[in-house]
Amino acid sequence: MESKYLHLSNIVLLIITVAQILTASLSADITLSVFTVTSKSMTVRWSGHTGASSYKITATPRNSPEPSVFAQFSGSTVMGSVNSLSPNTVYRMRVEAMDNAVNVLSSAETEETTAPEVPLIYQAYSKNSDSITVEFGVVSGATSYIIRAENEDGFFSESLVNTSPGTVVGLLPYTQYTLSVMSVNTGGRSQPSLTVNARTVLVAPDLISSSPSSDIIVIEWNPVDHAVLYSLLITIEGSDTQVRFNTTETNVTYTDLQPGTTYSIKVNAWDPDGNQGDDITVSQITRPPVPGEVQVQLTPGRSIDMAVYWQVVRGADGYTAVSSTGQNCSSSLGTYCIISPLSCSQNHTITVTAENEAGPSEPSAPQDLLTFPCPPELVWIEEPTTGNCSVTWSEVQWVDYYIAYVKRDDGLEENCNTTGTTCYFQCICGYTYLSTVFAYNLAGSSPPGQIVNYTTIPCCPDDLSVSLISTETLEISWSSVRGAELYETIAADGSEWIHCNDTAPVCALSDLTCDSLYSVVVRPCSETQGCNKTCSAHTRRTAPCAPVILNVTQVNSSTVEVFWMATNTEANYTVIAMGLSHMLTCSSSGTSCYISVSCGSTYDVSATATTTAGQSLPSYSIPLETGPCCPETLSVEQVTQSMTNVTWSAATGARSYVTSLTSPRGQARCHTMDTHCLLGCITCGTSYNVSLEAFSITGHKSECSYHGFSASACCPSSVRLYRMNNNTLRVNWRSSPGLYNYTADLHGTRSNYTCSATNAAHGCDISEILCGEVYTVVVAPLTQEGSKVKYCPRRLYSVSCSGNTVGMVIYRGRRSVD
């Protein structure tokens, strides 16, 4: 039976060849070639011949008694088939070109072998999920076979095999395929055999195996499509004992297995038709058993190590010993390992696990090991109270008790046994004490800890002597004491203190405060403990202080007040003012007194203090010069809106003057050697206090006050001139604060005009104005006496004529007062 694919190809080739012949010119000689070969037919192609009306093809067996086979074609045909041939036979193919009289014009020959017979399929089956095996009958003359596989999804493949059975690979699991076989020799391939259908089996499950404990193996897999059952076969490797198990689940747990033993597990799936799918085999070892007879012990040596021993168990690839401190050691084949290094004051709990590729076993029974304690990290000595000391240390783990040793620098030694962290001992001033602490437990003593030292404070001298050798110097002496490297002598009077440091047992304290009660103490010092601050003090008062004149102030022209600093206790003070021809005095227990003096005079002033202890040295003298007298007369005249002229009479003893006008809105000052002064920056409409200061040649001054001065009202601002009806002009301005009267003056070349406004009005009118003039306009306030302020500014306006009446009024600028 011919394949549908073979027929289609033959038809396409025939159409192409005929078209080529119809369009090409015929050749003179015929050429012949075999185009297609099957087991019972051959298709040949030839070149056309000029004049041929028909072509005859003869197929003659070369080594067979079978008769020849003929085929006749028209003169326009160049390709044709010869059928009813014998399979696996060599034929001589001859083509002859004939004319209308059946004469042979030309011919050509070739030889070709027919394909073998079509095989017969006996059966097709699948053993693996990606292949199908086909059993078929072999045919004579076939050198190989082609197995064709197709499915409904368009899959198509051809596999070349040498003989039966043959296998097609690269297929999909659990898929229906249509299969056929063709025989092949040198001549070509036969027609496909009758088809058979076969389905590939299920794919093997994808297994995941594990051993969560030493007697359990867990097998898991993802569901296999179309599987209705799974078969498992477990076998101990090296043993013939097998256990089969079927399940519809996707996991199986095997229990009661042997620890450390390797098992082989084979699994396959079954489809709904009862066909067994691919199988898969995994090997899984169970976890090893728990190591037994674990022992731990410290190893001798320079470092602290711990050896862990155990008994070897079956199926283990290695062992790990783990301490509760986080340290561990491992061994692959041995029966012990070393955990190193260890530290003091550690309580180790050791467990051992055996391991293989499945994981670790359960840990062994714990074993405990305690190392000897560490020495205390912190040790210190304190002296809470004088003569009572304590040695204290930090707490150490795993300690049963401590022993603290204390040794004095003169060889005396004592110790203290305690479960706490403090020991107490008596300590004497001026000695050095050394201490160390050992910790103990069942494993023994700790290594030697740190050695700390403590030096007690030096002892106080007991024969102190204080003497006054000058009004402000004390001398202190004493006998040397044990433990003192330096002596600090301090004298304090409550507000300040002075001290000296020396290695000698004597000290002079100078520059003390006079008339002060000093508390004097000597503190012996050492570098380690500092100074002994418990020594008792001695008191002593210094001589009275000389007064210090602070200031001499002239109260008035005939009286001065002398001020001094009073630092003595219950002292009386006397002030002496020595002039050229006389001496003045005053006394007081306070800090000042008054002396009547004459102006223009000079004095030397000094003071002394007297107490029950005696009289002080006189103070330093200071010169006194009395201030000048005040001018008898003073007058103030306002010159401009912001400037006044102040004049006064000459003052006795005065060389320069400072004149001041003061108000809440500001002040004006003038410093001059004349008896008059111009003061600027005066605010109009303001009342001022008038004062004068007279200064002598040395800078002494007398302050003089006079009657107040009121500045005139301010000149108005924004003065404007406006044209009104009936030859009338209006003068308008902005008034300054206050109720003032104003006058407005217009001065021209031919006429002058005046108008007034009262009570702070801001304008007035002038009638019958003569036009065609340039007017000078001045608006000024009136003083309280009614006089007109003369310094207000002038403005120029041009007044034009419109016919006989006032025309435009034009501002021409401003000008100062002439």
Side-chain angles (χ1 to χ4, degrees):
M1 180 176 130
E2 294 183 330
S3 170
K4 60 183 179 180
Y5 302 102
L6 184 57
H7 287 309
L8 180 59
S9 63
N10 289 341
I11 293 171
V12 173
L13 289 174
L14 180 59
I15 293 172
I16 295 172
T17 303
V18 172
Q20 292 173 345
I21 297 301
L22 290 176
T23 58
S25 63
L26 298 177
S27 63
D29 296 324
I30 298 177
T31 58
L32 177 66
S33 62
V34 179
F35 187 75
T36 304
V37 178
T38 67
S39 57
K40 291 185 178 183
S41 66
M42 288 187 188
T43 300
V44 295
R45 182 168 54 193
W46 61 89
S47 61
H49 190 276
T50 304
S53 60
S54 64
Y55 295 94
K56 178 182 178 182
I57 298 176
T58 304
T60 304
R62 193 180 66 177
N63 297 317
S64 173
E66 294 183 5
S68 299
V69 179
F70 303 95
Q72 192 81 20
F73 299 95
S74 67
S76 62
T77 305
V78 294
M79 185 172 65
S81 296
V82 179
N83 300 317
S84 301
L85 303 181
S86 298
N88 196 34
T89 302
V90 179
Y91 282 90
R92 179 180 295 111
M93 306 299 293
R94 179 181 177 82
V95 60
E96 297 173 322
M98 296 177 291
D99 57 14
N100 292 331
V102 195
N103 295 316
V104 176
L105 301 177
S106 180
S107 64
E109 290 186 358
T110 187
E111 287 188 355
E112 189 60 71
T113 303
T114 56
E117 293 183 352
V118 177
L120 176 63
I121 296 177
Y122 299 144
Q123 64 172 340
Y125 54 85
S126 174
K127 291 295 186 181
N128 297 313
S129 60
D130 63 345
S131 66
I132 294 177
T133 300
V134 181
E135 294 182 3
F136 52 88
V138 298
V139 296
S140 176
T143 58
S144 61
Y145 301 88
I146 294 176
I147 302 177
R148 180 177 292 167
E150 305 174 71
N151 66 14
E152 295 179 352
D153 296 331
F155 175 81
F156 176 86
S157 73
E158 290 183 345
S159 301
L160 183 65
V161 299
N162 293 326
T163 186
S164 176
T167 301
V168 181
V169 298
L171 304 181
L172 298 175
Y174 199 69
T175 302
Q176 185 80 19
Y177 290 91
T178 300
L179 302 116
S180 60
V181 181
M182 294 174 287
S183 59
V184 182
N185 64 6
T186 57
R189 60 173 69 178
S190 69
Q191 295 294 326
S193 66
L194 295 176
T195 60
V196 296
N197 293 325
R199 186 189 299 274
T200 51
V201 297
L202 296 174
V203 71
D206 187 12
L207 299 183
I208 300 174
S209 64
S210 62
S211 175
S213 65
S214 60
D215 61 345
I216 293 176
I217 290 179
V218 176
I219 307 296
E220 298 176 293
W221 61 90
N222 293 324
V224 178
D225 292 340
H226 308 291
V228 296
L229 187 69
Y230 302 94
S231 294
L232 295 92
L233 182 66
I234 184 169
T235 305
I236 299 177
E237 289 190 356
S239 171
D240 295 333
T241 303
Q242 296 181 339
V243 177
R244 185 177 296 276
F245 179 77
N246 293 332
T247 181
T248 59
E249 303 295 331
T250 57
N251 60 81
V252 172
T253 300
Y254 291 98
T255 59
D256 299 327
L257 304 180
Q258 298 178 18
T261 302
T262 302
Y263 288 84
S264 177
I265 300 98
K266 178 180 179 181
V267 183
N268 62 269
W270 296 81
D271 63 19
D273 299 327
N275 296 317
Q276 180 177 338
D278 289 350
D279 58 59
I280 183 173
T281 301
V282 296
S283 294
Q284 177 65 52
I285 189 172
T286 53
R287 297 193 183 193
V290 177
E293 299 183 7
V294 175
Q295 297 180 356
V296 293
Q297 64 183 37
L298 294 177
T299 60
R302 299 179 64 181
S303 62
I304 308 175
D305 299 333
M306 175 172 54
V308 184
Y309 298 88
W310 58 82
Q311 185 180 23
V312 176
V313 294
R314 181 181 62 191
D317 297 332
Y319 302 86
T320 299
V322 179
S323 170
S324 56
T325 62
Q327 295 173 284
N328 63 78
C329 64
S330 300
S331 176
S332 58
L333 298 175
T335 60
Y336 75 96
C337 66
I338 302 297
I339 294 179
S340 175
L342 302 184
S343 299
C344 52
S345 289
Q346 286 184 330
N347 188 13
H348 293 267
T349 299
I350 307 298
T351 58
V352 180
T353 57
E355 301 172 354
N356 60 20
E357 62 183 22
S361 68
E362 294 294 327
S364 65
Q367 300 293 319
D368 294 330
L369 178 68
L370 179 65
T371 61
F372 53 81
C374 299
E377 293 184 357
L378 297 176
V379 180
W380 66 95
I381 298 176
E382 295 178 326
E383 189 176 2
T385 60
T386 304
N388 297 309
C389 293
S390 64
V391 55
T392 305
W393 55 90
S394 58
E395 188 175 2
V396 181
Q397 284 188 323
W398 314 111
V399 171
D400 295 334
Y401 62 93
Y402 304 90
I403 296 180
Y405 295 88
V406 180
K407 185 175 183 179
R408 202 167 69 185
D409 57 2
D410 62 352
L412 182 65
E413 183 176 356
E414 58 180 308
N415 62 72
C416 167
N417 189 327
T418 180
T419 57
T421 58
T422 302
C423 280
Y424 299 93
F425 62 94
Q426 295 294 319
C427 51
I428 302 173
C429 60
Y431 284 100
T432 298
Y433 295 85
L434 303 176
S435 179
T436 185
V437 181
F438 289 84
Y440 295 85
N441 64 11
L442 294 177
S445 169
S446 69
Q450 64 178 133
I451 298 176
V452 296
N453 65 73
Y454 178 78
T455 301
T456 54
I457 202 162
C459 301
C460 294
D462 53 5
D463 57 348
L464 187 68
S465 173
V466 181
S467 59
L468 183 64
I469 59 176
S470 72
T471 57
E472 298 176 350
T473 302
L474 294 177
E475 183 181 61
I476 302 99
S477 60
W478 61 91
S479 298
S480 299
V481 295
R482 183 180 62 245
E485 300 170 347
L486 181 73
Y487 298 95
E488 182 182 65
T489 305
I490 299 174
D493 66 348
S495 60
E496 63 176 355
W497 62 279
I498 186 171
H499 74 284
C500 72
N501 294 334
D502 205 332
T503 56
V506 63
C507 180
L509 297 178
S510 303
D511 195 28
L512 301 180
T513 303
C514 53
D515 194 47
S516 295
L517 183 64
Y518 279 90
S519 175
V520 180
V521 63
V522 175
R523 297 175 177 176
C525 306
S526 66
E527 291 184 1
T528 57
Q529 290 297 324
C531 300
N532 191 338
K533 298 180 181 181
T534 64
C535 299
S536 58
H538 296 70
T539 59
R540 184 65 183 263
R541 182 178 294 276
T542 56
C545 301
V548 177
I549 296 179
L550 300 178
N551 191 18
V552 178
T553 302
Q554 187 165 352
V555 179
N556 51 46
S557 60
S558 60
T559 304
V560 295
E561 185 176 6
V562 181
F563 296 88
W564 59 85
M565 182 173 61
T567 58
N568 296 308
T569 303
E570 296 181 355
N572 291 319
Y573 300 89
T574 300
V575 176
I576 300 174
M578 183 65 68
L580 294 177
S581 60
H582 62 284
M583 181 181 70
L584 304 175
T585 63
C586 68
S587 299
S588 173
S589 60
T591 58
S592 67
C593 65
Y594 294 93
I595 299 178
S596 296
V597 295
S598 301
C599 66
S601 300
T602 58
Y603 300 91
D604 290 329
V605 182
S606 63
T608 58
T610 304
T611 65
T612 56
Q615 185 175 351
S616 71
L617 296 174
S619 69
Y620 295 111
S621 296
I622 63 172
L624 171 62
E625 180 183 358
T626 58
C629 297
C630 291
E632 294 182 359
T633 61
L634 181 144
S635 63
V636 181
E637 179 183 1
Q638 188 164 356
V639 179
T640 67
Q641 181 170 289
S642 61
M643 187 170 65
T644 59
N645 185 21
V646 183
T647 59
W648 56 89
S649 60
T652 304
R655 185 178 183 181
S656 63
Y657 306 90
V658 174
T659 305
S660 300
L661 299 182
T662 306
S663 74
R665 301 178 65 180
Q667 69 173 359
R669 290 171 58 86
C670 174
H671 195 175
T672 181
M673 296 178 66
D674 300 325
T675 58
H676 59 86
C677 185
L678 286 176
L679 292 178
C681 299
I682 299 301
T683 304
C684 53
T686 303
S687 296
Y688 288 89
N689 293 324
V690 181
S691 63
L692 182 142
E693 294 174 340
F695 291 89
S696 70
I697 194 171
T698 59
H700 288 77
K701 72 176 180 178
S702 298
E703 294 183 356
C704 310
S705 296
Y706 297 91
H707 292 293
F709 164 73
S710 294
S712 300
C714 299
C715 293
S717 61
S718 300
V719 176
R720 298 289 185 270
L721 191 63
Y722 298 100
R723 182 185 65 179
M724 306 296 286
N725 295 327
N726 299 324
N727 288 339
T728 299
L729 291 180
R730 173 165 291 177
V731 183
N732 201 6
W733 60 86
R734 183 179 299 168
S735 302
S736 58
L739 298 176
Y740 295 100
N741 297 329
Y742 296 88
T743 62
D745 295 327
L746 273 69
H747 299 280
T749 58
R750 294 179 294 170
S751 60
N752 297 323
Y753 303 94
T754 300
C755 67
S756 300
T758 60
N759 296 329
H762 56 273
C764 63
D765 294 338
I766 300 176
S767 59
E768 301 299 330
I769 291 295
L770 181 63
C771 63
E773 269 279 22
V774 175
Y775 289 98
T776 299
V777 181
V778 178
V779 179
L782 300 179
T783 64
Q784 292 181 356
E785 291 79 15
S787 61
K788 182 167 57 178
V789 173
K790 299 178 181 181
Y791 46 74
C792 290
R794 300 178 179 183
R795 294 173 177 265
L796 295 179
Y797 282 90
S798 175
V799 180
S800 65
C801 293
S802 178
N804 295 325
T805 62
V806 173
M808 295 182 63
V809 178
I810 300 174
Y811 175 59
R812 301 288 296 275
R814 16 182 335 190
R815 54 183 293 184
S816 304
V817 177
D818 292 335

